[in-house]
Amino acid sequence: MRLRGVGRRYGLGGPWVLRGVDLEVPPGSLTRVQGRNGSGKSTLLRLLAGIDAPSAGRITGRPATAYVPERFPAELPFSALGYLTHLGRIHGLSRAAAARGAGEWLERFGADGHAGTPLAELSKGTSQKIAVAQALLAAPGLLVLDEAWTGLDQAARGVLDTAVAERVADGGAVVFVDHDPRRLAGAPDRVLRVTETRLEPVDADAHGEPGEAGYPRPSGGAPDPAAGAPGREAVVPGAAGPSVAQDGPGAGPLVRVEAEGRPGAGPPGELSGAVVREYGPAPAPAHGGGGGDDGPAGRGRGVRLTVEVGVADSDGLLRTLLTADPPWHIRAVTAIDDNDPQEPARGAKEKA
Ligand SMILES: Nc1ncnc2c1ncn2[C@@H]1O[C@H](COP(=O)(O)OP(=O)(O)OP(=O)(O)O)[C@@H](O)[C@H]1O
């Protein structure tokens, strides 16, 4: 598949999110895409997946494509097995092959016990397994994964790792975005960074390094007026306890997760190994609202939660937030570069 001079902007006269992107996606290739929050990674992946059209340029030579979106629409009136069979049919499989493939993927993901469960009644984790299974089941020529590992348990993440390797070995192309710099570390044939509307190759030596330009802190965020809110920089109650306050979330690379909850939501009580950096009223929308991106905060002013956690625990943290009732809306996930002078000294801050 080939992208030539591809650009995307939203709305009439809106700013270009991507511009002049030339890209070839060869068969049998594994490509990682990274970039700052809001740089345009999901926009690029939607274009690659063919569910969005470029505002400029051309995309040619698309193979059969499957896509795991950042958010899976789980409210459809199907059972898990019925949905996967239906999707298999849409991907061109015969009824028998679709049903067989659906059953096999449910089993591989350890979700066969939920074959008859309506989608709307599935847990977030099982729902994510279905989101991934629907993309894998027709063995697509191009597989596009937008944070597809998030919300999966450890065993299912391993199944997905293996499935990606199988796809590539089988001549399929896989393009993925993931917040964890260690995801499929060493496996991608190339790493691309979306920056300032462009797509540029990342130095192979920088693959997956925390703090590398693919994982900077959120860009341009105005200081939060709620900086002094109660609970800021507190240790999560009932979770990691005093050892976190003394030692921080452990040695090694850290990930910062920013989430937004319903008005009045308290922090979930099971954020093991995590340090809460900020907890208070969400800032007012920068553009006066109307963007249709209210998240679980709904129309009211929600609660903003910023948590730091070791990379190894970040999947668990995300799962906890996403499966909370009501779930938190994940605003940003960024790795933290301890060598960055703009980062406040750790240790000292934890003890403040
Ligand atoms: N449907 C849309 N309508 C209007 N603007 C959009 C739409 N989708 C994305 N944008 C804007 O395009 C820019 C890039 O968004 P995109 O979601 O592609 O970035 P991203 O790198 O995937 O971000 P994140 O890491 O936070 O998921 C952002 O400024 C975003 O607000």
Side-chain angles (χ1 to χ4, degrees), residues 32 34 190-193 200-208 212 214:
R32 173 182 198 116
Q34 56 195 47
R190 61 181 169 176
V191 179
L192 303 173
R193 178 193 301 132
E200 59 182 36
V202 173
D203 181 353
D205 293 340
H207 281 201
E212 186 277 331

Side-chain angles (χ1 to χ4, degrees), residues 3-345:
L3 282 67
R4 283 284 170 265
V6 163
R8 181 69 170 106
R9 71 205 300 192
Y10 296 101
L12 274 181
W16 289 96
V17 175
L18 297 170
R19 198 164 200 190
V21 171
D22 295 320
L23 177 67
E24 207 145 324
V25 185
S29 64
L30 177 60
T31 303
R32 173 182 198 116
V33 175
Q34 56 195 47
R36 291 174 180 271
N37 292 117
S39 58
K41 301 182 295 296
S42 293
T43 296
L44 176 67
L45 262 53
R46 286 195 295 268
L47 293 171
L48 289 171
I51 64 155
D52 188 21
S55 316
R58 294 184 62 207
I59 300 178
T60 54
R62 169 185 305 291
T65 302
Y67 170 57
V68 179
E70 217 174 352
R71 290 188 195 94
F72 176 60
E75 302 297 321
L76 301 168
F78 287 101
S79 68
L81 182 66
Y83 173 74
L84 289 177
T85 306
H86 181 70
L87 265 284
R89 297 278 286 148
I90 287 176
H91 284 305
L93 299 179
S94 69
R95 174 164 296 283
R100 189 170 57 247
E104 283 169 7
W105 280 107
L106 283 171
E107 200 177 332
R108 265 182 94 168
F109 278 114
D112 38 336
H114 295 289
T117 307
L119 289 183
E121 291 174 22
L122 294 175
S123 69
K124 290 273 177 194
T126 306
S127 182
Q128 183 63 11
K129 291 177 183 179
I130 305 304
V132 173
Q134 61 79 23
L136 294 170
L137 100 146
L142 171 64
L143 176 63
V144 180
L145 305 172
D146 196 347
E147 294 283 355
W149 286 263
T150 299
L152 294 180
D153 57 43
Q154 184 121 16
R157 289 201 300 267
V159 172
L160 179 53
D161 289 352
T162 305
V164 166
E166 286 172 355
R167 273 298 63 240
V168 172
D170 203 31
V174 180
V175 182
F176 74 99
V177 166
D178 196 84
H179 68 277
D180 185 346
R182 298 172 314 168
R183 184 77 62 219
L184 301 176
D189 300 297
R190 61 181 169 176
V191 179
L192 303 173
R193 178 193 301 132
V194 183
T195 179
E196 311 282 338
T197 74
R198 306 276 167 193
L199 198 56
E200 59 182 36
V202 173
D203 181 353
D205 293 340
H207 281 201
E209 285 298 315
E212 186 277 331
Y215 301 90
R217 67 210 39 72
S219 58
D224 187 349
R232 190 165 193 265
E233 294 190 22
V235 174
V236 178
S243 67
V244 166
Q246 286 158 16
D247 306 331
L254 296 179
V255 170
R256 179 179 300 140
V257 175
E258 293 173 49
E260 203 165 309
R262 292 245 168 86
E270 297 167 29
L271 306 184
S272 175
V275 170
V276 175
R277 291 288 177 198
E278 180 188 8
Y279 167 57
H287 308 295
D293 189 19
D294 286 336
R299 294 181 199 333
R301 189 98 178 271
V303 175
R304 170 73 69 88
L305 175 70
T306 302
V307 182
E308 289 177 8
V309 67
V311 164
D313 292 322
S314 59
D315 280 316
L317 169 65
L318 288 167
R319 202 159 48 246
T320 299
L321 292 170
L322 288 167
T323 56
D325 188 19
W328 289 73
H329 179 62
I330 307 299
R331 284 273 169 212
V333 183
T334 46
I336 301 169
D337 182 1
D338 263 346
N339 298 320
D340 190 323
Q342 288 181 29
E343 281 294 337

